[in-house]
């Protein structure tokens, strides 16, 4: 495995993010290294965002706990994000919580099956994210990069968009989170591609189901087994 060349592109932020985990990725076996490295990059990215936002270098964000309009959007994730969430579930959910989650996934699949994006948008009240519980994210520490990126400068815009029938309603947002968390996600896509591991983006409910259906999904993915979207 040549890990020196995981990242050899021009994006300076991706280079910085890669440097933070270069040593961790040397740990063998790879399956024990990749999730801690992923968590480290996410924490580092969060630190950058906090510095930018707390110092006023980016506009103030209106997002706050309890606001979940955007958690009725269609979330797509990459394999490392699915595996991080699955590990979080395995480590923190009890049997009843796992059973309830599987029921929500089944319901989501039943309601969304065969529907176009527009049709799913029009029934978003019935299709909250499978991890939204009482208005809060039940996997907050492991939420995927798209959820970390998403932000709004005015939560009233989100309310209007949520109540609108127009799926293209514009929400003004700060680009910093998109750039930072998007770079983190792209770095892990590059690493996976370099190692010939699955990289494709999947709907979150589908990717989590794929993890539940696999035996030791993290190990299998690290070995190059195709466990997603079979
Ligand atoms: S994972 Fe969490 S933050 Fe992301 S859409 Fe679902 S509930 Fe919301």
């Amino acid at each position: 495995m040549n890990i020196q060349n995981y990242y050899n592109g021009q994006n300076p932020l991706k280079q910085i993010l890669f440097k933070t985990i270069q040593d961790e990725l040397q740990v063998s076996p790879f399956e024990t290294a990749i999730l801690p490295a992923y968590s480290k990059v996410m924490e580092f990215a969060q630190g950058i965002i906090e510095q930018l936002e707390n110092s006023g270098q980016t506009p103030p964000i209106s997002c706050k706990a309890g606001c979940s309009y955007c958690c009725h959007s269609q979330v797509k994730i990459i394999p490392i994000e699915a595996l991080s969430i699955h590990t979080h579930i395995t480590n923190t959910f009890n049997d009843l919580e796992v059973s309830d989650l599987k029921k929500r996934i089944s319901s989501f699949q039943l309601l969304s099956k065969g529907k176009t994006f527009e049709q799913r948008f029009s029934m978003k009240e019935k299709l909250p994210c499978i991890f939204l519980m009482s208005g809060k994210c039940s996997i907050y520490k492991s939420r995927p990069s798209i959820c970390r990126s998403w932000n709004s400068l005015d939560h009233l815009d989100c309310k209007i968009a949520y109540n609108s029938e127009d799926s293209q309603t514009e929400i003004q947002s700060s680009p910093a989170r998109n750039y930072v968390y998007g770079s983190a996600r792209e770095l892990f896509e590059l690493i996976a591609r370099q190692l010939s591991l699955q990289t494709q983006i999947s709907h979150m409910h589908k990717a989590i189901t794929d993890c539940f259906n696999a035996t030791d999904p993290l190990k299998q993915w690290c070995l190059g087994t195709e466990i997603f979207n079979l």
Side-chain angles (χ1 to χ4, degrees):
M1 248 182 235
N2 177 9
I3 71 158
Q4 301 307 322
N5 295 323
Y6 276 156
Y7 183 69
N8 57 9
Q10 299 303 311
N11 178 325
L13 177 58
K14 263 186 265 185
Q15 280 175 347
I16 292 167
L17 294 174
F18 175 54
K19 280 194 187 339
T20 66
I21 54 169
Q22 200 161 6
D23 292 340
E24 273 88 343
L25 289 175
Q26 303 280 358
V27 173
S28 185
F30 185 69
E31 74 206 53
T32 64
I34 187 68
L35 281 188
Y38 172 75
S39 298
K40 190 170 180 181
V41 163
M42 284 301 154
E43 278 170 29
F44 191 85
Q46 186 176 330
I48 295 173
I49 290 297
E50 283 172 3
Q51 274 187 25
L52 288 172
E53 293 181 355
N54 293 341
S55 63
Q57 292 178 74
T58 58
I61 302 298
S62 181
C63 305
K64 53 182 179 244
C67 182
S68 59
Y69 293 118
C70 63
C71 296
H72 294 73
S73 304
Q74 294 164 45
V75 176
K76 291 185 177 179
I77 58 178
I78 60 173
I80 188 68
E81 294 175 319
L83 292 161
S84 171
I85 293 167
H86 181 258
T87 301
H88 178 93
I89 292 166
T90 304
N91 291 341
T92 65
F93 282 29
N94 61 33
D95 290 348
L96 183 61
E97 288 167 332
V98 171
S99 166
D100 285 346
L101 171 62
K102 288 183 176 175
K103 282 182 198 156
R104 289 197 300 280
I105 292 175
S106 295
S107 165
F108 191 102
Q109 282 169 334
L110 202 64
L111 285 168
S112 62
K113 193 173 179 188
K115 302 276 193 316
T116 63
F117 173 82
E118 293 299 333
Q119 287 169 327
R120 290 198 299 266
F121 180 83
S122 69
M123 54 192 290
K124 54 188 172 296
E125 273 174 67
K126 292 182 185 158
L127 287 174
C129 173
I130 54 171
F131 292 114
L132 188 64
M133 299 288 295
S134 307
K136 288 186 181 165
C137 176
S138 56
I139 53 155
Y140 191 76
K141 283 188 178 168
S142 299
R143 69 198 187 287
S145 54
I146 191 166
C147 303
R148 295 169 194 262
S149 302
W150 186 256
N151 70 89
S152 170
L153 301 188
D154 187 346
H155 67 278
L156 291 178
D157 284 350
C158 303
K159 186 176 181 179
I160 291 166
Y162 180 80
N163 291 321
S164 155
E165 289 299 308
D166 181 5
S167 63
Q168 305 299 321
T169 306
E170 289 285 324
I171 307 278
Q172 277 212 314
S173 61
S174 162
R177 290 194 190 195
N178 268 332
Y179 176 65
V180 173
Y181 290 118
S183 296
R185 176 157 148 165
E186 284 171 23
L187 174 63
F188 281 91
E189 286 179 305
L190 281 167
I191 291 171
R193 207 171 298 128
Q194 176 118 0
L195 294 172
S196 302
L197 309 179
Q198 275 196 292
T199 56
Q200 75 263 38
I201 295 175
S202 315
H203 283 287
M204 184 154 63
H205 69 280
K206 177 76 176 65
I208 299 304
T209 301
D210 289 337
C211 288
F212 278 133
N213 288 340
T215 304
D216 202 345
L218 176 61
K219 183 174 181 180
Q220 290 304 319
W221 179 73
C222 289
L223 290 171
T225 309
E226 298 203 344
I227 60 168
F228 294 100
N229 281 333
L230 294 177

